[in-house]
Amino acid sequence: MLTKRIIACMDVRDGQVVKGVQFQQLRHAGDPAELARRYNIEGIDEVVVLDITATLETRRALARTINAVAHEIFLPLTVGGGIRSEDDAAAAVNAGADKVSLNTAALRNPDLISALARRYGSQAVIVAIDAKRQGDRFAVYVRSGTSDAARDAVEWAREAEARGAGEILLTSMDRDGTRSGFDCEMTAAVSDAVNIPVIASGGAGGLDHFADVFTRGHADAALAASIFHYDDTGVADVKRYLHDHGIPVRL
């Protein structure tokens, strides 16, 4: 059985890590390089850096921040935010990214997924899906969660896979920052619909939440931010808990 991955996410604005609730009420969480150094020591499996205002401000992700984080870690680094073209992706890779994450740009120009998969390999292309519950479906939102894309998350995940995405980063906007647990129903719906790894995001607040999303949610990886940033829960604590509950992780 493949090991489950624990991923730390750093939302970056103006060169600093921030965290909010349901994409709002942002508060300072630290320096990206300093947090990356800590996570590298603590045994995180991967790090994701999202420049959360790059798309709204129509600019590339911050190369200086990417480079600073890349120098502190010896594990996979994913960069997202403001990647709208092959040139933007190349700039992120040149700055130190191992993978790029597409969100708004992938929906506007799905061919970009295929182009980047051909250039870097599918393993380097993540399609991020921010979704909210709407009745019995999961609606996709873009532009940092400010605009309804009129797409269904399960259907869009299938298309992204068909176009060459190697992973799906699925964020529950309803659970983001609430620490109330991952949306396991939504995660399972997407995980069961595709044959590529799904990273669950939004709602991590306790050790049992991670076990829950790997079992009921069928996730391949779980991403968290605030519980790690503010030292509420350690990476090692999460991994020990999962190992003790029979969930394979890299210790």
Side-chain angles (χ1 to χ4, degrees), residues 47-60:
V47 170
V48 173
V49 173
L50 298 178
D51 188 342
I52 60 173
T53 56
T55 295
L56 295 177
E57 295 170 3
T58 318
R59 57 171 172 76
R60 286 182 178 173

Side-chain angles (χ1 to χ4, degrees), residues 107 129-132 138-142 147-153 156:
L107 278 158
I129 299 176
D130 298 332
K132 288 182 182 180
F138 306 105
V140 178
Y141 279 70
V142 293
S147 178
D148 189 337
R151 295 291 299 268
D152 175 76
W156 172 227

Side-chain angles (χ1 to χ4, degrees), residues 55 84 103-111 142-143 156:
T55 295
R84 296 175 296 275
N103 191 326
T104 302
L107 278 158
R108 288 181 172 172
N109 177 21
D111 289 340
V142 293
R143 292 183 58 78
W156 172 227

Side-chain angles (χ1 to χ4, degrees), residues 114-136:
S114 304
L116 294 179
R118 286 192 298 269
R119 183 167 179 173
Y120 298 109
S122 289
Q123 83 290 338
V125 182
I126 295 177
V127 169
I129 299 176
D130 298 332
K132 288 182 182 180
R133 286 176 175 264
Q134 285 186 357
D136 59 354

Side-chain angles (χ1 to χ4, degrees), residues 4-20:
K4 302 297 186 179
R5 290 170 291 148
I6 306 300
I7 301 173
C9 180
M10 293 190 283
D11 293 335
V12 175
R13 180 176 186 175
D14 299 327
Q16 292 294 302
V17 178
V18 295
K19 190 69 191 86

Side-chain angles (χ1 to χ4, degrees), residues 37-219:
R37 186 182 308 121
R38 194 183 93 201
Y39 292 140
N40 191 68
I41 294 170
E42 290 181 356
I44 203 76
D45 295 310
E46 297 187 22
V47 170
V48 173
V49 173
L50 298 178
D51 188 342
I52 60 173
T53 56
T55 295
L56 295 177
E57 295 170 3
T58 318
R59 57 171 172 76
R60 286 182 178 173
L62 300 174
R64 182 178 299 176
T65 298
I66 298 167
N67 188 262
V69 170
H71 274 80
E72 296 294 343
I73 60 176
F74 301 94
L75 43 91
L77 170 61
T78 297
V79 171
I83 297 176
R84 296 175 296 275
S85 67
E86 288 191 64
D87 287 345
D88 292 338
V93 170
N94 291 339
D98 300 290
K99 307 177 186 180
V100 293
S101 175
L102 307 175
N103 191 326
T104 302
L107 278 158
R108 288 181 172 172
N109 177 21
D111 289 340
L112 180 60
I113 302 171
S114 304
L116 294 179
R118 286 192 298 269
R119 183 167 179 173
Y120 298 109
S122 289
Q123 83 290 338
V125 182
I126 295 177
V127 169
I129 299 176
D130 298 332
K132 288 182 182 180
R133 286 176 175 264
Q134 285 186 357
D136 59 354
R137 63 187 289 270
F138 306 105
V140 178
Y141 279 70
V142 293
R143 292 183 58 78
S144 298
T146 62
S147 178
D148 189 337
R151 295 291 299 268
D152 175 76
V154 173
E155 171 264 326
W156 172 227
R158 287 197 185 105
E159 181 180 341
E161 177 185 23
R163 289 180 177 274
E167 290 185 274
I168 300 294
L169 171 52
L170 179 67
T171 298
S172 167
M173 295 180 63
D174 300 309
R175 301 293 182 93
D176 176 70
T178 65
R179 303 196 185 194
S180 60
F182 296 95
D183 189 331
C184 292
E185 183 181 353
M186 182 173 76
T187 305
V190 173
S191 295
D192 293 347
V194 298
N195 295 305
I196 56 177
V198 173
I199 304 166
S201 170
L207 299 176
D208 56 324
H209 294 159
F210 289 90
D212 207 27
V213 81
F214 287 133
T215 52
R216 289 200 305 119
H218 308 166

